[in-house]
Amino acid sequence: MLHFHYAGGNPAAEAQTRAAAHEGGAARWAQALASGLERAACTRVVETGEPYITELCCPLGAQERWWLAMAVRHGDGFALWIRDVTEARLEECRAWEALALTQGRGERMEAEAESRERFMGILGHDLRNPLNAIILSARALTRYGSLTSTQQGMRLRILASADRMSKMISDLLDLTRARSSGGFPVSLEPASLSAICRRVLEELEAAYPDRRLFYEEEQPVVGVWDADRLAQVVSNLVANALEHGGEEVPVSVRACLRGELVALEVHNPGTPIPAERLATLFEPFHCTRDAASRMRRSGLGLGLYIVQEIIRAHGGQVTVHSLEGEGTTFTVLLPRDSREAGEDSPIPEPFKAHAE
């Protein structure tokens, strides 16, 4: 049985609720909204600290409305954040109505994708505020006196879960931005790939203290790129190798020159990627492994898609080589100066054929 008590809210929203749900109806409305929550998911929030996000349909007065609900652990129970997303839902419905009038299967699929990505963009932006509140609250707990070991563990789990959610939201916004603008915007300046790799690996070593990471270079590698976006590429490729390469195997990163190009290789000697999945590896929402691995992964399956789009924006290409006994190697080739990249960029033909 779920029991709720009022903790606080938006005055304007409260006035709207009282106006639409008169004569004690507000309490009944709150219980009706709560009845849509999954009990098992609520239990996980309390037991593990893993946030629970869902969308609920609950009328307010005579009007049907949709609510984005986020449950986070709070004391011995959990706090429930509720946001009215009816307008976003109505916009999605209008898009679906327009979709029904669209002629041709190809046009229908394009309109459906556009509607879905617009909704994901709206959802991603709307989740930022409650997520920031969770992070700030967890960080502020230490200001109210020392925490017990149990309380400190709970605080760290909240922050870890919030960090994963923040990464998912960033990936969703990157996907929406890439699809809506036809590619990733990049800010090109002189940068050191060597420095980028070392910085990212230091951050990942702190996050994965039990894993072995190696970096190798023949000489310092510099060029004209977007340093922040390339750091995202390195982070996504290495994190992918750490997650899917096996817990005992090392991950190696190598930066080198190949003629007029710069090469970045990320290798792990673990179990190879199944051959049937290689063709769709860089598609959005794709998982590189089997169902058991999907249960363990913490992302949305957008990491490799984002890698590919960032590298394309730099005029380069990325491929993967994965065989039994050899492990998996992702190879990125970049022009030294991405300002000059274009159709005539010096990507070798064998590499182009392999990428296609």
Side-chain angles (χ1 to χ4, degrees):
M1 183 69 179
L2 298 176
H3 298 282
F4 292 86
H5 68 274
Y6 175 80
N10 183 302
E14 294 170 32
Q16 179 187 13
T17 303
R18 286 194 296 268
H22 51 79
E23 297 180 1
R28 290 195 300 271
W29 170 82
Q31 288 297 327
L33 189 70
S35 67
L37 298 173
E38 295 181 12
R39 303 295 176 88
C42 294
T43 301
R44 285 197 300 272
V45 173
V46 177
E47 293 179 347
T48 69
E50 188 78 19
Y52 164 44
I53 303 174
T54 188
E55 188 175 282
L56 306 171
C57 179
C58 183
L60 184 60
Q63 184 181 10
E64 182 180 77
R65 301 196 73 84
W66 290 86
W67 311 86
L68 178 67
M70 175 187 291
V72 296
R73 186 160 55 186
H74 179 74
D76 295 331
F78 62 86
L80 188 66
W81 300 72
I82 301 174
R83 182 182 181 87
D84 190 340
V85 292
T86 304
E87 292 305 317
R89 171 63 85 160
L90 291 176
E91 182 179 352
E92 183 184 28
C93 291
R94 287 191 289 268
W96 277 104
E97 291 173 358
L99 178 66
L101 300 176
T102 303
Q103 298 299 318
R105 183 173 182 274
E107 292 179 349
R108 289 197 303 272
M109 292 178 63
E110 182 178 352
E112 179 183 7
E114 181 180 351
S115 172
R116 181 173 60 249
E117 287 156 15
R118 185 188 304 116
F119 182 74
M120 286 191 298
I122 295 171
L123 180 62
H125 281 290
D126 283 350
L127 286 176
R128 286 288 192 187
N129 288 336
L131 181 59
N132 287 337
I134 294 170
I135 294 173
L136 292 174
S137 298
R139 290 175 177 170
L141 287 176
T142 54
R143 302 175 187 173
Y144 300 96
S146 59
L147 302 177
T148 66
S149 59
T150 299
Q151 292 170 336
Q152 180 67 9
M154 293 168 59
R155 173 181 172 274
L156 293 177
R157 283 196 296 272
I158 291 173
L159 287 173
S161 297
D163 287 342
R164 290 199 302 273
M165 291 175 63
S166 180
K167 177 63 167 57
M168 293 179 190
I169 291 171
S170 295
D171 285 349
L172 280 175
L173 294 178
D174 278 343
L175 171 68
T176 304
R177 188 180 300 114
R179 293 292 185 87
S180 62
S181 62
F184 272 71
V186 292
S187 177
L188 304 177
E189 296 179 350
S192 168
L193 182 59
S194 305
I196 292 170
C197 290
R198 289 194 179 96
R199 172 167 57 86
V200 171
L201 290 180
E202 287 177 0
E203 295 171 354
L204 290 172
E205 283 174 343
Y208 297 87
D210 298 329
R211 300 300 298 274
R212 291 174 292 163
L213 301 177
F214 300 97
Y215 178 66
E216 176 189 358
E217 62 180 19
E218 298 172 353
Q219 63 187 78
V221 180
V222 296
V224 179
W225 308 299
D226 186 323
D228 290 337
R229 285 301 190 184
L230 285 192
Q232 193 174 0
V233 167
V234 178
S235 179
N236 283 2
L237 289 178
V238 177
N240 182 76
L242 288 169
E243 184 172 355
H244 299 298
E247 296 182 359
E248 302 298 327
V249 300
V251 174
S252 60
V253 180
R254 182 171 181 263
C256 60
L257 299 178
R258 289 191 185 178
E260 300 179 13
L261 299 170
V262 171
L264 172 70
E265 298 175 351
V266 177
H267 172 75
N268 78 80
T271 304
I273 301 170
E276 66 272 12
R277 293 197 174 106
L278 290 175
T280 58
L281 193 62
F282 294 98
E283 293 182 2
F285 305 108
H286 177 80
C287 180
T288 60
R289 305 293 177 174
D290 55 19
S293 178
R294 285 196 294 271
M295 294 297 294
R296 296 193 303 270
R297 67 188 178 101
S298 58
L300 296 172
L302 293 173
L304 294 180
Y305 168 79
I306 291 172
V307 165
Q308 177 178 254
E309 293 303 308
I310 292 174
I311 296 306
R312 282 179 174 173
H314 282 81
Q317 292 182 0
V318 56
T319 60
V320 59
H321 179 78
S322 189
L323 289 175
E324 188 70 41
E326 298 182 16
T328 300
T329 301
F330 284 87
T331 301
V332 171
L333 286 186
L334 291 168
R336 293 197 194 187
D337 189 342
S338 288
R339 294 173 300 184
E340 302 172 0
E343 295 182 358
D344 297 328
S345 59
I347 303 294
E349 288 302 323
F351 189 91
K352 287 183 176 180
H354 185 53
E356 295 171 357

